[in-house]
Amino acid sequence: MEDKNTDNVDLSKAGGQTKLRIAVQKSGRLSEKSLNLLKEAGISLTNGERKLLAQSGSYPIEVLYLRDDDIPQYVKDGVADVGIVGENEYAEKGSAADIIERLGFSRCRISLAIPKQHEYTGPEYFEGKKIATSYPVILQNYLDEKGVNAEIHVISGSVEIAPAIGLADGIFDIVSSGSTLISNGLSEVDVVMKSEAVIIGDKDMEPGKMEILNDLLFRIRSVQAASNNKYILLNAPNDKLDEIIAVIPGMKSPTVMPLAESGWSSVHSVLSEKQFWQVIGKIRELGAEGILVIPIEKMIV
Ligand code: PRT
Ligand code: ZN
């Protein structure tokens, strides 16, 4: 989507020079969703896919493609102003940057797991044992908090095979569906941290960049609000109108218009994904008909 509307960001005030440099993962689980978010926010990237640095013709932003492990450090050093990264990487690298926005995608948990035939007795189970992980800092903090002494064995990939090959007694790794653990005969015994993609950056950035960031956040929130909500239209018998309206929350209050057929009205509103099925069930019981549900592209709240 080409976006020519940069009204909210005053380029002239920024001398036409100030750009916000955002680091995103070059290739991996976060990259597509990160770039998609920018695209939906109206930011098209011009000079080629996946060069180290891409520009936007439509927005004062530069995109720096990096490995996710490097993003917190680049942000900390000021090479990038902000970055999109898994909260787990941010926590592991102990970045000086702040979490600016939670993005709600790439959700996972970082958990301790042990061979499924063993009985877990609590964190003290790991006393004197070996744990394989790629996240030694988060794990050490957890062990310190629990007063447990365990040996941390740092490995960078295929952590889940460590117990089977005798490298460790347990693992501390990312879990999403849990199927990797199951297929390696492991059971998840303790969720140490929950993670999602976040925007990190130094909240004290220069005013010109802050202005761009605020506009970007406004756009991202509008995109996210839209994807979390649906536009709903339905026909309601007038004698049930009040009851039907009472169960539809809406942004302010629903729009009600008379239908050509007397005794009926058309009701328009917005429903959040969370309440969706519950509300649909209730309004059907109350006699709503011809229910249409339409995706919302942007929602300015
Ligand atoms: O190359 P680069 O260093 O940039 O990428 P990477 O290989 O280090 O990271 P990548 O792309 O695999 O993951 C990026 C981020 O996505 C992570 O830091 C997490 O924040 C998030 N994320 C979300 C996940 C998962 N879900 C996930 N399931 N990261 C990894 N996994 C792996 C996990 O390591 C395990 O091997 O998937 C397996 C478990 O999945 P289930 O579904 O079987 O439980
Ligand atoms: Zn990585």
Side-chain angles (χ1 to χ4, degrees):
M1 188 190 351
E2 187 66 26
D3 181 63
K4 305 223 162 31
N5 178 12
T6 54
D7 295 352
N8 297 350
V9 178
D10 187 349
L11 286 172
S12 59
K13 201 163 128 203
Q17 293 298 315
T18 303
K19 288 188 175 182
L20 185 78
R21 190 179 279 178
I22 181 164
V24 302
Q25 190 189 26
K26 187 173 167 58
S27 107
R29 285 182 161 89
L30 297 167
S31 21
E32 203 186 317
K33 285 181 178 150
S34 305
L35 291 174
N36 215 25
L37 190 64
L38 295 180
K39 196 173 153 198
E40 287 180 338
I43 298 164
S44 51
L45 298 169
T46 44
N47 57 342
E49 285 254 309
R50 309 294 158 90
K51 288 191 175 172
L52 179 64
L53 194 64
Q55 310 285 335
S56 170
S58 62
Y59 200 76
I61 202 166
E62 286 179 323
V63 174
L64 185 62
Y65 295 108
L66 297 172
R67 286 200 56 195
D68 69 342
D69 314 53
D70 297 333
I71 292 176
Q73 189 63 41
Y74 274 65
V75 171
K76 192 173 178 177
D77 293 345
V79 179
D81 301 305
V82 289
I84 300 180
V85 73
E87 205 177 340
N88 51 303
E89 264 332 310
Y90 167 76
E92 180 64 24
K93 296 296 177 316
S95 173
D98 312 298
I99 292 185
I100 292 177
E101 188 83 351
R102 298 186 166 274
L103 297 173
F105 62 82
S106 296
R107 287 183 189 277
C108 57
R109 40 198 200 273
I110 328 296
S111 296
L112 283 157
I114 60 170
K116 65 170 194 266
Q117 64 276 16
H118 291 201
E119 196 194 330
Y120 187 61
T121 48
E124 62 281 3
Y125 172 92
F126 290 103
E127 184 68 36
K129 294 212 165 67
K130 264 194 208 171
I131 310 171
T133 189
S134 308
Y135 297 96
V137 174
I138 302 173
L139 177 57
Q140 189 63 62
N141 287 342
Y142 175 78
L143 294 172
D144 289 349
E145 191 189 298
K146 299 290 174 193
V148 172
N149 286 304
E151 190 185 324
I152 299 179
H153 200 91
V154 183
I155 46 179
S156 57
S158 304
V159 173
E160 63 279 359
I161 63 166
I165 61 172
L167 197 64
D169 303 295
I171 68 164
F172 177 62
D173 200 11
I174 295 177
V175 182
S176 173
S177 66
S179 61
T180 303
L181 293 183
I182 292 170
S183 57
N184 284 281
L186 299 168
S187 61
E188 185 178 5
V189 291
D190 213 336
V191 177
V192 172
M193 155 175 199
K194 287 192 176 159
S195 174
E196 66 188 278
V198 290
I199 298 182
I200 57 168
D202 185 348
K203 282 185 176 155
D204 291 328
M205 69 183 72
E206 58 169 88
K209 291 187 176 188
M210 192 51 120
E211 197 183 337
I212 303 169
L213 176 62
N214 283 335
D215 181 71
L216 176 65
L217 292 175
F218 168 75
R219 293 179 180 212
I220 287 175
R221 286 172 195 152
S222 303
V223 170
Q224 290 186 324
S227 71
N228 292 335
N229 289 278
K230 299 272 182 271
Y231 193 76
I232 172 173
L233 299 100
L234 59 96
N235 296 333
N238 286 348
D239 58 343
K240 290 284 179 189
L241 207 49
D242 289 345
E243 283 175 80
I244 289 177
I245 288 172
V247 293
I248 302 177
M251 284 174 78
K252 270 215 171 95
S253 84
T255 307
V256 180
M257 285 175 286
L259 284 187
E261 187 182 333
S262 71
W264 285 80
S265 297
S266 169
V267 179
H268 298 204
S269 193
V270 170
L271 266 190
S272 83
E273 200 78 71
K274 279 187 200 146
Q275 311 158 300
F276 188 76
W277 289 111
Q278 205 188 357
V279 172
I280 295 286
K282 282 191 195 153
I283 59 174
R284 285 187 67 211
E285 274 171 29
L286 288 166
E289 289 179 8
I291 304 170
L292 291 181
V293 178
I294 302 167
I296 301 171
E297 193 182 307
K298 303 276 188 307
M299 192 165 143
I300 316 300
V301 283

